[in-house]
Amino acid sequence: MKSNEEVVREAYRLSEGNVLDGHGFRALFTEDGTFNDMPNSLTFRGDQIPQALSGFAGVFPDVHRELLEVHAVGDVVAVELRIQGTHLGSFPTPFGDIRPTGNRIDVPTADLWYLRAGKIERFNCYNAANVLLAQIGAGPDFKSAIEAARTAATGA
C-alpha cells in the first residue's frame, strides 16, 4: 500500500496539464470523497471531480503545481504550493466569460488532504483566488460594491 504522501503526490501528478488524468485522479478518492474549492465555496463529488480538473485545465492548459512543502502527519497531508499556468481559455464567471489574456498565473495555495485506508476522503484546496483574478486582469470592482451598498442602505 502506498503511503498517504505518495497518494497525494500521485494526485498532483495526475492533475498536471501535460498529464491530466481526471479518472485516475478520481480513483484515488473514496467512493464518497470530496474535492472542496474553499475560496469559491464549491464542492465536487464523484464524476464532478474529474470535471473540476478538466474545467481548470481548459482555462489554464499548461497548469503546473509547484510543491513547496509537503508534510504528512497520520491521515492528513498538508501541502504548500503554487499553482502556475497561462490563461489561454475562457474563464467562466456568473456574469459571463473572461476572455483569454495570455497572462501567466502564479497563485499561492495551501492544500489539506484527509485520507482513510489509503484513499482520499476529503481534499480542501485553499488557493488565493484574489491573486489569480488579479493576475488575469480581473481585479475587484470596489466602486460597484460601494455603490450597491449605498443603494441597499438608502433603499434607493
mmCIF file with all atom_site columns, all heavy atoms in Angstrom, residues 56 60 64 66 68 80-85 104-110 126-133 135-136:
data_model
loop_
_atom_site.group_PDB
_atom_site.id
_atom_site.type_symbol
_atom_site.label_atom_id
_atom_site.label_alt_id
_atom_site.label_comp_id
_atom_site.label_asym_id
_atom_site.label_entity_id
_atom_site.label_seq_id
_atom_site.pdbx_PDB_ins_code
_atom_site.Cartn_x
_atom_site.Cartn_y
_atom_site.Cartn_z
_atom_site.occupancy
_atom_site.B_iso_or_equiv
_atom_site.pdbx_formal_charge
_atom_site.auth_seq_id
_atom_site.auth_comp_id
_atom_site.auth_asym_id
_atom_site.auth_atom_id
_atom_site.pdbx_PDB_model_num
ATOM 1   N N   . PHE A 1 56  ? -10.597 23.502 -15.027 1.00 0.00 ? 56  PHE A N   1
ATOM 2   C CA  . PHE A 1 56  ? -9.475  24.394 -14.722 1.00 0.00 ? 56  PHE A CA  1
ATOM 3   C C   . PHE A 1 56  ? -8.418  24.308 -15.819 1.00 0.00 ? 56  PHE A C   1
ATOM 4   O O   . PHE A 1 56  ? -7.890  25.324 -16.269 1.00 0.00 ? 56  PHE A O   1
ATOM 5   C CB  . PHE A 1 56  ? -8.869  24.057 -13.357 1.00 0.00 ? 56  PHE A CB  1
ATOM 6   C CG  . PHE A 1 56  ? -7.949  25.126 -12.840 1.00 0.00 ? 56  PHE A CG  1
ATOM 7   C CD1 . PHE A 1 56  ? -8.457  26.254 -12.217 1.00 0.00 ? 56  PHE A CD1 1
ATOM 8   C CD2 . PHE A 1 56  ? -6.576  25.009 -12.992 1.00 0.00 ? 56  PHE A CD2 1
ATOM 9   C CE1 . PHE A 1 56  ? -7.602  27.255 -11.752 1.00 0.00 ? 56  PHE A CE1 1
ATOM 10  C CE2 . PHE A 1 56  ? -5.725  25.999 -12.530 1.00 0.00 ? 56  PHE A CE2 1
ATOM 11  C CZ  . PHE A 1 56  ? -6.239  27.126 -11.909 1.00 0.00 ? 56  PHE A CZ  1
ATOM 12  N N   . PHE A 1 60  ? -6.460  27.045 -18.093 1.00 0.00 ? 60  PHE A N   1
ATOM 13  C CA  . PHE A 1 60  ? -5.002  27.091 -17.955 1.00 0.00 ? 60  PHE A CA  1
ATOM 14  C C   . PHE A 1 60  ? -4.432  25.739 -18.406 1.00 0.00 ? 60  PHE A C   1
ATOM 15  O O   . PHE A 1 60  ? -4.098  24.883 -17.572 1.00 0.00 ? 60  PHE A O   1
ATOM 16  C CB  . PHE A 1 60  ? -4.610  27.380 -16.502 1.00 0.00 ? 60  PHE A CB  1
ATOM 17  C CG  . PHE A 1 60  ? -5.239  28.631 -15.951 1.00 0.00 ? 60  PHE A CG  1
ATOM 18  C CD1 . PHE A 1 60  ? -6.383  28.567 -15.178 1.00 0.00 ? 60  PHE A CD1 1
ATOM 19  C CD2 . PHE A 1 60  ? -4.695  29.873 -16.234 1.00 0.00 ? 60  PHE A CD2 1
ATOM 20  C CE1 . PHE A 1 60  ? -6.977  29.723 -14.677 1.00 0.00 ? 60  PHE A CE1 1
ATOM 21  C CE2 . PHE A 1 60  ? -5.285  31.033 -15.744 1.00 0.00 ? 60  PHE A CE2 1
ATOM 22  C CZ  . PHE A 1 60  ? -6.429  30.959 -14.962 1.00 0.00 ? 60  PHE A CZ  1
ATOM 23  N N   . HIS A 1 64  ? 0.448   23.828 -13.813 1.00 0.00 ? 64  HIS A N   1
ATOM 24  C CA  . HIS A 1 64  ? 1.504   23.119 -13.084 1.00 0.00 ? 64  HIS A CA  1
ATOM 25  C C   . HIS A 1 64  ? 1.387   23.498 -11.619 1.00 0.00 ? 64  HIS A C   1
ATOM 26  O O   . HIS A 1 64  ? 1.082   24.656 -11.292 1.00 0.00 ? 64  HIS A O   1
ATOM 27  C CB  . HIS A 1 64  ? 2.882   23.511 -13.624 1.00 0.00 ? 64  HIS A CB  1
ATOM 28  C CG  . HIS A 1 64  ? 4.008   23.052 -12.756 1.00 0.00 ? 64  HIS A CG  1
ATOM 29  N ND1 . HIS A 1 64  ? 4.330   21.722 -12.595 1.00 0.00 ? 64  HIS A ND1 1
ATOM 30  C CD2 . HIS A 1 64  ? 4.883   23.747 -11.994 1.00 0.00 ? 64  HIS A CD2 1
ATOM 31  C CE1 . HIS A 1 64  ? 5.355   21.623 -11.762 1.00 0.00 ? 64  HIS A CE1 1
ATOM 32  N NE2 . HIS A 1 64  ? 5.714   22.834 -11.380 1.00 0.00 ? 64  HIS A NE2 1
ATOM 33  N N   . GLU A 1 66  ? 3.612   23.662 -8.356  1.00 0.00 ? 66  GLU A N   1
ATOM 34  C CA  . GLU A 1 66  ? 4.947   23.577 -7.775  1.00 0.00 ? 66  GLU A CA  1
ATOM 35  C C   . GLU A 1 66  ? 4.802   23.341 -6.281  1.00 0.00 ? 66  GLU A C   1
ATOM 36  O O   . GLU A 1 66  ? 4.356   24.221 -5.535  1.00 0.00 ? 66  GLU A O   1
ATOM 37  C CB  . GLU A 1 66  ? 5.725   24.876 -8.034  1.00 0.00 ? 66  GLU A CB  1
ATOM 38  C CG  . GLU A 1 66  ? 7.106   24.855 -7.444  1.00 0.00 ? 66  GLU A CG  1
ATOM 39  C CD  . GLU A 1 66  ? 7.840   26.171 -7.602  1.00 0.00 ? 66  GLU A CD  1
ATOM 40  O OE1 . GLU A 1 66  ? 7.352   27.067 -8.328  1.00 0.00 ? 66  GLU A OE1 1
ATOM 41  O OE2 . GLU A 1 66  ? 8.910   26.303 -6.983  1.00 0.00 ? 66  GLU A OE2 1
ATOM 42  N N   . LEU A 1 68  ? 5.943   23.197 -2.684  1.00 0.00 ? 68  LEU A N   1
ATOM 43  C CA  . LEU A 1 68  ? 6.988   23.851 -1.904  1.00 0.00 ? 68  LEU A CA  1
ATOM 44  C C   . LEU A 1 68  ? 7.292   23.095 -0.617  1.00 0.00 ? 68  LEU A C   1
ATOM 45  O O   . LEU A 1 68  ? 8.452   22.938 -0.241  1.00 0.00 ? 68  LEU A O   1
ATOM 46  C CB  . LEU A 1 68  ? 6.574   25.289 -1.580  1.00 0.00 ? 68  LEU A CB  1
ATOM 47  C CG  . LEU A 1 68  ? 6.235   26.169 -2.791  1.00 0.00 ? 68  LEU A CG  1
ATOM 48  C CD1 . LEU A 1 68  ? 5.673   27.509 -2.335  1.00 0.00 ? 68  LEU A CD1 1
ATOM 49  C CD2 . LEU A 1 68  ? 7.447   26.349 -3.685  1.00 0.00 ? 68  LEU A CD2 1
ATOM 50  N N   . GLU A 1 80  ? 2.009   23.099 0.898   1.00 0.00 ? 80  GLU A N   1
ATOM 51  C CA  . GLU A 1 80  ? 2.105   24.479 0.447   1.00 0.00 ? 80  GLU A CA  1
ATOM 52  C C   . GLU A 1 80  ? 2.607   24.424 -0.987  1.00 0.00 ? 80  GLU A C   1
ATOM 53  O O   . GLU A 1 80  ? 3.573   23.720 -1.284  1.00 0.00 ? 80  GLU A O   1
ATOM 54  C CB  . GLU A 1 80  ? 3.081   25.273 1.313   1.00 0.00 ? 80  GLU A CB  1
ATOM 55  C CG  . GLU A 1 80  ? 3.215   26.713 0.869   1.00 0.00 ? 80  GLU A CG  1
ATOM 56  C CD  . GLU A 1 80  ? 4.236   27.497 1.676   1.00 0.00 ? 80  GLU A CD  1
ATOM 57  O OE1 . GLU A 1 80  ? 4.923   26.918 2.537   1.00 0.00 ? 80  GLU A OE1 1
ATOM 58  O OE2 . GLU A 1 80  ? 4.364   28.710 1.410   1.00 0.00 ? 80  GLU A OE2 1
ATOM 59  N N   . LEU A 1 81  ? 1.938   25.147 -1.875  1.00 0.00 ? 81  LEU A N   1
ATOM 60  C CA  . LEU A 1 81  ? 2.286   25.072 -3.289  1.00 0.00 ? 81  LEU A CA  1
ATOM 61  C C   . LEU A 1 81  ? 1.964   26.357 -4.003  1.00 0.00 ? 81  LEU A C   1
ATOM 62  O O   . LEU A 1 81  ? 1.385   27.283 -3.432  1.00 0.00 ? 81  LEU A O   1
ATOM 63  C CB  . LEU A 1 81  ? 1.556   23.903 -3.946  1.00 0.00 ? 81  LEU A CB  1
ATOM 64  C CG  . LEU A 1 81  ? 0.024   24.012 -4.045  1.00 0.00 ? 81  LEU A CG  1
ATOM 65  C CD1 . LEU A 1 81  ? -0.451  23.349 -5.319  1.00 0.00 ? 81  LEU A CD1 1
ATOM 66  C CD2 . LEU A 1 81  ? -0.632  23.360 -2.840  1.00 0.00 ? 81  LEU A CD2 1
ATOM 67  N N   . ARG A 1 82  ? 2.329   26.387 -5.273  1.00 0.00 ? 82  ARG A N   1
ATOM 68  C CA  . ARG A 1 82  ? 1.985   27.480 -6.167  1.00 0.00 ? 82  ARG A CA  1
ATOM 69  C C   . ARG A 1 82  ? 1.343   26.860 -7.397  1.00 0.00 ? 82  ARG A C   1
ATOM 70  O O   . ARG A 1 82  ? 1.890   25.932 -7.976  1.00 0.00 ? 82  ARG A O   1
ATOM 71  C CB  . ARG A 1 82  ? 3.226   28.275 -6.549  1.00 0.00 ? 82  ARG A CB  1
ATOM 72  C CG  . ARG A 1 82  ? 3.942   28.855 -5.316  1.00 0.00 ? 82  ARG A CG  1
ATOM 73  C CD  . ARG A 1 82  ? 5.012   29.834 -5.653  1.00 0.00 ? 82  ARG A CD  1
ATOM 74  N NE  . ARG A 1 82  ? 4.487   31.131 -6.053  1.00 0.00 ? 82  ARG A NE  1
ATOM 75  C CZ  . ARG A 1 82  ? 3.980   32.045 -5.235  1.00 0.00 ? 82  ARG A CZ  1
ATOM 76  N NH1 . ARG A 1 82  ? 3.899   31.808 -3.955  1.00 0.00 ? 82  ARG A NH1 1
ATOM 77  N NH2 . ARG A 1 82  ? 3.534   33.200 -5.695  1.00 0.00 ? 82  ARG A NH2 1
ATOM 78  N N   . ILE A 1 83  ? 0.170   27.360 -7.765  1.00 0.00 ? 83  ILE A N   1
ATOM 79  C CA  . ILE A 1 83  ? -0.495  26.905 -8.983  1.00 0.00 ? 83  ILE A CA  1
ATOM 80  C C   . ILE A 1 83  ? -0.084  27.874 -10.089 1.00 0.00 ? 83  ILE A C   1
ATOM 81  O O   . ILE A 1 83  ? -0.289  29.091 -9.959  1.00 0.00 ? 83  ILE A O   1
ATOM 82  C CB  . ILE A 1 83  ? -2.025  26.865 -8.828  1.00 0.00 ? 83  ILE A CB  1
ATOM 83  C CG1 . ILE A 1 83  ? -2.421  25.913 -7.706  1.00 0.00 ? 83  ILE A CG1 1
ATOM 84  C CG2 . ILE A 1 83  ? -2.680  26.462 -10.146 1.00 0.00 ? 83  ILE A CG2 1
ATOM 85  C CD1 . ILE A 1 83  ? -3.908  25.908 -7.376  1.00 0.00 ? 83  ILE A CD1 1
ATOM 86  N N   . GLN A 1 84  ? 0.492   27.319 -11.147 1.00 0.00 ? 84  GLN A N   1
ATOM 87  C CA  . GLN A 1 84  ? 1.032   28.146 -12.228 1.00 0.00 ? 84  GLN A CA  1
ATOM 88  C C   . GLN A 1 84  ? 0.420   27.730 -13.554 1.00 0.00 ? 84  GLN A C   1
ATOM 89  O O   . GLN A 1 84  ? 0.013   26.587 -13.731 1.00 0.00 ? 84  GLN A O   1
ATOM 90  C CB  . GLN A 1 84  ? 2.553   27.990 -12.274 1.00 0.00 ? 84  GLN A CB  1
ATOM 91  C CG  . GLN A 1 84  ? 3.205   28.377 -10.958 1.00 0.00 ? 84  GLN A CG  1
ATOM 92  C CD  . GLN A 1 84  ? 4.624   27.882 -10.816 1.00 0.00 ? 84  GLN A CD  1
ATOM 93  O OE1 . GLN A 1 84  ? 5.011   26.875 -11.379 1.00 0.00 ? 84  GLN A OE1 1
ATOM 94  N NE2 . GLN A 1 84  ? 5.417   28.621 -10.049 1.00 0.00 ? 84  GLN A NE2 1
ATOM 95  N N   . GLY A 1 85  ? 0.371   28.654 -14.488 1.00 0.00 ? 85  GLY A N   1
ATOM 96  C CA  . GLY A 1 85  ? -0.146  28.349 -15.811 1.00 0.00 ? 85  GLY A CA  1
ATOM 97  C C   . GLY A 1 85  ? -0.340  29.617 -16.620 1.00 0.00 ? 85  GLY A C   1
ATOM 98  O O   . GLY A 1 85  ? -0.017  30.719 -16.175 1.00 0.00 ? 85  GLY A O   1
ATOM 99  N N   . ARG A 1 104 ? 0.263   34.971 -17.363 1.00 0.00 ? 104 ARG A N   1
ATOM 100 C CA  . ARG A 1 104 ? 0.719   33.875 -16.512 1.00 0.00 ? 104 ARG A CA  1
ATOM 101 C C   . ARG A 1 104 ? 0.127   34.045 -15.112 1.00 0.00 ? 104 ARG A C   1
ATOM 102 O O   . ARG A 1 104 ? -0.031  35.176 -14.643 1.00 0.00 ? 104 ARG A O   1
ATOM 103 C CB  . ARG A 1 104 ? 2.254   33.866 -16.400 1.00 0.00 ? 104 ARG A CB  1
ATOM 104 C CG  . ARG A 1 104 ? 2.976   33.555 -17.686 1.00 0.00 ? 104 ARG A CG  1
ATOM 105 C CD  . ARG A 1 104 ? 3.064   32.099 -18.037 1.00 0.00 ? 104 ARG A CD  1
ATOM 106 N NE  . ARG A 1 104 ? 3.700   31.326 -16.988 1.00 0.00 ? 104 ARG A NE  1
ATOM 107 C CZ  . ARG A 1 104 ? 3.470   30.033 -16.780 1.00 0.00 ? 104 ARG A CZ  1
ATOM 108 N NH1 . ARG A 1 104 ? 2.618   29.376 -17.536 1.00 0.00 ? 104 ARG A NH1 1
ATOM 109 N NH2 . ARG A 1 104 ? 4.072   29.378 -15.817 1.00 0.00 ? 104 ARG A NH2 1
ATOM 110 N N   . ILE A 1 105 ? -0.200  32.920 -14.488 1.00 0.00 ? 105 ILE A N   1
ATOM 111 C CA  . ILE A 1 105 ? -0.619  32.951 -13.086 1.00 0.00 ? 105 ILE A CA  1
ATOM 112 C C   . ILE A 1 105 ? 0.422   32.235 -12.253 1.00 0.00 ? 105 ILE A C   1
ATOM 113 O O   . ILE A 1 105 ? 1.110   31.317 -12.729 1.00 0.00 ? 105 ILE A O   1
ATOM 114 C CB  . ILE A 1 105 ? -2.021  32.322 -12.862 1.00 0.00 ? 105 ILE A CB  1
ATOM 115 C CG1 . ILE A 1 105 ? -2.042  30.850 -13.267 1.00 0.00 ? 105 ILE A CG1 1
ATOM 116 C CG2 . ILE A 1 105 ? -3.098  33.137 -13.569 1.00 0.00 ? 105 ILE A CG2 1
ATOM 117 C CD1 . ILE A 1 105 ? -3.214  30.068 -12.722 1.00 0.00 ? 105 ILE A CD1 1
ATOM 118 N N   . ASP A 1 106 ? 0.536   32.655 -11.011 1.00 0.00 ? 106 ASP A N   1
ATOM 119 C CA  . ASP A 1 106 ? 1.417   32.032 -10.027 1.00 0.00 ? 106 ASP A CA  1
ATOM 120 C C   . ASP A 1 106 ? 0.738   32.272 -8.681  1.00 0.00 ? 106 ASP A C   1
ATOM 121 O O   . ASP A 1 106 ? 0.933   33.297 -8.043  1.00 0.00 ? 106 ASP A O   1
ATOM 122 C CB  . ASP A 1 106 ? 2.804   32.665 -10.085 1.00 0.00 ? 106 ASP A CB  1
ATOM 123 C CG  . ASP A 1 106 ? 3.822   31.938 -9.220  1.00 0.00 ? 106 ASP A CG  1
ATOM 124 O OD1 . ASP A 1 106 ? 3.473   30.910 -8.593  1.00 0.00 ? 106 ASP A OD1 1
ATOM 125 O OD2 . ASP A 1 106 ? 4.972   32.404 -9.164  1.00 0.00 ? 106 ASP A OD2 1
ATOM 126 N N   . VAL A 1 107 ? -0.127  31.334 -8.303  1.00 0.00 ? 107 VAL A N   1
ATOM 127 C CA  . VAL A 1 107 ? -1.077  31.532 -7.213  1.00 0.00 ? 107 VAL A CA  1
ATOM 128 C C   . VAL A 1 107 ? -0.655  30.770 -5.955  1.00 0.00 ? 107 VAL A C   1
ATOM 129 O O   . VAL A 1 107 ? -0.571  29.534 -5.968  1.00 0.00 ? 107 VAL A O   1
ATOM 130 C CB  . VAL A 1 107 ? -2.487  31.070 -7.651  1.00 0.00 ? 107 VAL A CB  1
ATOM 131 C CG1 . VAL A 1 107 ? -3.500  31.310 -6.547  1.00 0.00 ? 107 VAL A CG1 1
ATOM 132 C CG2 . VAL A 1 107 ? -2.904  31.776 -8.942  1.00 0.00 ? 107 VAL A CG2 1
ATOM 133 N N   . PRO A 1 108 ? -0.400  31.486 -4.851  1.00 0.00 ? 108 PRO A N   1
ATOM 134 C CA  . PRO A 1 108 ? -0.088  30.798 -3.604  1.00 0.00 ? 108 PRO A CA  1
ATOM 135 C C   . PRO A 1 108 ? -1.291  29.988 -3.127  1.00 0.00 ? 108 PRO A C   1
ATOM 136 O O   . PRO A 1 108 ? -2.435  30.461 -3.192  1.00 0.00 ? 108 PRO A O   1
ATOM 137 C CB  . PRO A 1 108 ? 0.260   31.918 -2.630  1.00 0.00 ? 108 PRO A CB  1
ATOM 138 C CG  . PRO A 1 108 ? -0.151  33.189 -3.275  1.00 0.00 ? 108 PRO A CG  1
ATOM 139 C CD  . PRO A 1 108 ? -0.422  32.928 -4.722  1.00 0.00 ? 108 PRO A CD  1
ATOM 140 N N   . THR A 1 109 ? -1.008  28.775 -2.663  1.00 0.00 ? 109 THR A N   1
ATOM 141 C CA  . THR A 1 109 ? -2.075  27.837 -2.312  1.00 0.00 ? 109 THR A CA  1
ATOM 142 C C   . THR A 1 109 ? -1.634  26.961 -1.138  1.00 0.00 ? 109 THR A C   1
ATOM 143 O O   . THR A 1 109 ? -0.453  26.670 -0.993  1.00 0.00 ? 109 THR A O   1
ATOM 144 C CB  . THR A 1 109 ? -2.400  26.938 -3.531  1.00 0.00 ? 109 THR A CB  1
ATOM 145 O OG1 . THR A 1 109 ? -2.717  27.768 -4.649  1.00 0.00 ? 109 THR A OG1 1
ATOM 146 C CG2 . THR A 1 109 ? -3.547  25.987 -3.259  1.00 0.00 ? 109 THR A CG2 1
ATOM 147 N N   . ALA A 1 110 ? -2.591  26.551 -0.336  1.00 0.00 ? 110 ALA A N   1
ATOM 148 C CA  . ALA A 1 110 ? -2.370  25.545 0.701   1.00 0.00 ? 110 ALA A CA  1
ATOM 149 C C   . ALA A 1 110 ? -3.455  24.493 0.542   1.00 0.00 ? 110 ALA A C   1
ATOM 150 O O   . ALA A 1 110 ? -4.640  24.831 0.417   1.00 0.00 ? 110 ALA A O   1
ATOM 151 C CB  . ALA A 1 110 ? -2.413  26.165 2.090   1.00 0.00 ? 110 ALA A CB  1
ATOM 152 N N   . TYR A 1 126 ? -7.175  25.588 -0.635  1.00 0.00 ? 126 TYR A N   1
ATOM 153 C CA  . TYR A 1 126 ? -7.252  26.991 -0.239  1.00 0.00 ? 126 TYR A CA  1
ATOM 154 C C   . TYR A 1 126 ? -6.314  27.779 -1.153  1.00 0.00 ? 126 TYR A C   1
ATOM 155 O O   . TYR A 1 126 ? -5.149  27.987 -0.827  1.00 0.00 ? 126 TYR A O   1
ATOM 156 C CB  . TYR A 1 126 ? -6.814  27.165 1.215   1.00 0.00 ? 126 TYR A CB  1
ATOM 157 C CG  . TYR A 1 126 ? -7.688  26.465 2.221   1.00 0.00 ? 126 TYR A CG  1
ATOM 158 C CD1 . TYR A 1 126 ? -7.457  25.131 2.577   1.00 0.00 ? 126 TYR A CD1 1
ATOM 159 C CD2 . TYR A 1 126 ? -8.739  27.137 2.831   1.00 0.00 ? 126 TYR A CD2 1
ATOM 160 C CE1 . TYR A 1 126 ? -8.256  24.494 3.504   1.00 0.00 ? 126 TYR A CE1 1
ATOM 161 C CE2 . TYR A 1 126 ? -9.543  26.503 3.772   1.00 0.00 ? 126 TYR A CE2 1
ATOM 162 C CZ  . TYR A 1 126 ? -9.290  25.176 4.098   1.00 0.00 ? 126 TYR A CZ  1
ATOM 163 O OH  . TYR A 1 126 ? -10.083 24.543 5.017   1.00 0.00 ? 126 TYR A OH  1
ATOM 164 N N   . ASN A 1 127 ? -6.814  28.186 -2.317  1.00 0.00 ? 127 ASN A N   1
ATOM 165 C CA  . ASN A 1 127 ? -5.984  28.978 -3.228  1.00 0.00 ? 127 ASN A CA  1
ATOM 166 C C   . ASN A 1 127 ? -6.338  30.451 -3.073  1.00 0.00 ? 127 ASN A C   1
ATOM 167 O O   . ASN A 1 127 ? -7.448  30.803 -2.707  1.00 0.00 ? 127 ASN A O   1
ATOM 168 C CB  . ASN A 1 127 ? -6.159  28.513 -4.682  1.00 0.00 ? 127 ASN A CB  1
ATOM 169 C CG  . ASN A 1 127 ? -7.584  28.637 -5.154  1.00 0.00 ? 127 ASN A CG  1
ATOM 170 O OD1 . ASN A 1 127 ? -8.070  29.730 -5.393  1.00 0.00 ? 127 ASN A OD1 1
ATOM 171 N ND2 . ASN A 1 127 ? -8.275  27.513 -5.278  1.00 0.00 ? 127 ASN A ND2 1
ATOM 172 N N   . ALA A 1 128 ? -5.359  31.293 -3.362  1.00 0.00 ? 128 ALA A N   1
ATOM 173 C CA  . ALA A 1 128 ? -5.575  32.741 -3.266  1.00 0.00 ? 128 ALA A CA  1
ATOM 174 C C   . ALA A 1 128 ? -6.292  33.192 -4.535  1.00 0.00 ? 128 ALA A C   1
ATOM 175 O O   . ALA A 1 128 ? -5.685  33.709 -5.474  1.00 0.00 ? 128 ALA A O   1
ATOM 176 C CB  . ALA A 1 128 ? -4.254  33.463 -3.065  1.00 0.00 ? 128 ALA A CB  1
ATOM 177 N N   . ALA A 1 129 ? -7.608  32.986 -4.563  1.00 0.00 ? 129 ALA A N   1
ATOM 178 C CA  . ALA A 1 129 ? -8.413  33.302 -5.747  1.00 0.00 ? 129 ALA A CA  1
ATOM 179 C C   . ALA A 1 129 ? -8.290  34.771 -6.132  1.00 0.00 ? 129 ALA A C   1
ATOM 180 O O   . ALA A 1 129 ? -8.297  35.103 -7.318  1.00 0.00 ? 129 ALA A O   1
ATOM 181 C CB  . ALA A 1 129 ? -9.875  32.928 -5.500  1.00 0.00 ? 129 ALA A CB  1
ATOM 182 N N   . ASN A 1 130 ? -8.143  35.657 -5.139  1.00 0.00 ? 130 ASN A N   1
ATOM 183 C CA  . ASN A 1 130 ? -7.988  37.085 -5.448  1.00 0.00 ? 130 ASN A CA  1
ATOM 184 C C   . ASN A 1 130 ? -6.700  37.344 -6.235  1.00 0.00 ? 130 ASN A C   1
ATOM 185 O O   . ASN A 1 130 ? -6.667  38.192 -7.118  1.00 0.00 ? 130 ASN A O   1
ATOM 186 C CB  . ASN A 1 130 ? -8.029  37.929 -4.172  1.00 0.00 ? 130 ASN A CB  1
ATOM 187 C CG  . ASN A 1 130 ? -6.923  37.566 -3.201  1.00 0.00 ? 130 ASN A CG  1
ATOM 188 O OD1 . ASN A 1 130 ? -6.524  36.406 -3.074  1.00 0.00 ? 130 ASN A OD1 1
ATOM 189 N ND2 . ASN A 1 130 ? -6.411  38.549 -2.489  1.00 0.00 ? 130 ASN A ND2 1
ATOM 190 N N   . VAL A 1 131 ? -5.646  36.593 -5.936  1.00 0.00 ? 131 VAL A N   1
ATOM 191 C CA  . VAL A 1 131 ? -4.380  36.740 -6.665  1.00 0.00 ? 131 VAL A CA  1
ATOM 192 C C   . VAL A 1 131 ? -4.556  36.247 -8.096  1.00 0.00 ? 131 VAL A C   1
ATOM 193 O O   . VAL A 1 131 ? -4.144  36.913 -9.048  1.00 0.00 ? 131 VAL A O   1
ATOM 194 C CB  . VAL A 1 131 ? -3.242  35.976 -5.946  1.00 0.00 ? 131 VAL A CB  1
ATOM 195 C CG1 . VAL A 1 131 ? -1.975  35.951 -6.787  1.00 0.00 ? 131 VAL A CG1 1
ATOM 196 C CG2 . VAL A 1 131 ? -2.973  36.594 -4.577  1.00 0.00 ? 131 VAL A CG2 1
ATOM 197 N N   . LEU A 1 132 ? -5.202  35.089 -8.252  1.00 0.00 ? 132 LEU A N   1
ATOM 198 C CA  . LEU A 1 132 ? -5.451  34.551 -9.593  1.00 0.00 ? 132 LEU A CA  1
ATOM 199 C C   . LEU A 1 132 ? -6.228  35.562 -10.437 1.00 0.00 ? 132 LEU A C   1
ATOM 200 O O   . LEU A 1 132 ? -5.849  35.865 -11.572 1.00 0.00 ? 132 LEU A O   1
ATOM 201 C CB  . LEU A 1 132 ? -6.204  33.228 -9.500  1.00 0.00 ? 132 LEU A CB  1
ATOM 202 C CG  . LEU A 1 132 ? -6.469  32.505 -10.816 1.00 0.00 ? 132 LEU A CG  1
ATOM 203 C CD1 . LEU A 1 132 ? -6.544  31.003 -10.584 1.00 0.00 ? 132 LEU A CD1 1
ATOM 204 C CD2 . LEU A 1 132 ? -7.725  32.976 -11.495 1.00 0.00 ? 132 LEU A CD2 1
ATOM 205 N N   . LEU A 1 133 ? -7.302  36.088 -9.888  1.00 0.00 ? 133 LEU A N   1
ATOM 206 C CA  . LEU A 1 133 ? -8.133  37.041 -10.640 1.00 0.00 ? 133 LEU A CA  1
ATOM 207 C C   . LEU A 1 133 ? -7.344  38.299 -11.011 1.00 0.00 ? 133 LEU A C   1
ATOM 208 O O   . LEU A 1 133 ? -7.437  38.787 -12.141 1.00 0.00 ? 133 LEU A O   1
ATOM 209 C CB  . LEU A 1 133 ? -9.384  37.394 -9.855  1.00 0.00 ? 133 LEU A CB  1
ATOM 210 C CG  . LEU A 1 133 ? -10.398 36.253 -9.728  1.00 0.00 ? 133 LEU A CG  1
ATOM 211 C CD1 . LEU A 1 133 ? -11.486 36.600 -8.722  1.00 0.00 ? 133 LEU A CD1 1
ATOM 212 C CD2 . LEU A 1 133 ? -10.991 35.898 -11.077 1.00 0.00 ? 133 LEU A CD2 1
ATOM 213 N N   . GLN A 1 135 ? -4.192  38.481 -11.484 1.00 0.00 ? 135 GLN A N   1
ATOM 214 C CA  . GLN A 1 135 ? -3.184  38.136 -12.478 1.00 0.00 ? 135 GLN A CA  1
ATOM 215 C C   . GLN A 1 135 ? -3.774  37.961 -13.885 1.00 0.00 ? 135 GLN A C   1
ATOM 216 O O   . GLN A 1 135 ? -3.050  38.077 -14.865 1.00 0.00 ? 135 GLN A O   1
ATOM 217 C CB  . GLN A 1 135 ? -2.421  36.880 -12.041 1.00 0.00 ? 135 GLN A CB  1
ATOM 218 C CG  . GLN A 1 135 ? -1.517  37.163 -10.848 1.00 0.00 ? 135 GLN A CG  1
ATOM 219 C CD  . GLN A 1 135 ? -0.842  35.922 -10.299 1.00 0.00 ? 135 GLN A CD  1
ATOM 220 O OE1 . GLN A 1 135 ? -1.166  34.784 -10.632 1.00 0.00 ? 135 GLN A OE1 1
ATOM 221 N NE2 . GLN A 1 135 ? 0.130   36.140 -9.424  1.00 0.00 ? 135 GLN A NE2 1
ATOM 222 N N   . ILE A 1 136 ? -5.074  37.701 -13.978 1.00 0.00 ? 136 ILE A N   1
ATOM 223 C CA  . ILE A 1 136 ? -5.689  37.636 -15.311 1.00 0.00 ? 136 ILE A CA  1
ATOM 224 C C   . ILE A 1 136 ? -6.426  38.941 -15.636 1.00 0.00 ? 136 ILE A C   1
ATOM 225 O O   . ILE A 1 136 ? -7.173  39.007 -16.601 1.00 0.00 ? 136 ILE A O   1
ATOM 226 C CB  . ILE A 1 136 ? -6.608  36.403 -15.490 1.00 0.00 ? 136 ILE A CB  1
ATOM 227 C CG1 . ILE A 1 136 ? -7.821  36.442 -14.570 1.00 0.00 ? 136 ILE A CG1 1
ATOM 228 C CG2 . ILE A 1 136 ? -5.808  35.106 -15.337 1.00 0.00 ? 136 ILE A CG2 1
ATOM 229 C CD1 . ILE A 1 136 ? -8.873  35.375 -14.871 1.00 0.00 ? 136 ILE A CD1 1
#
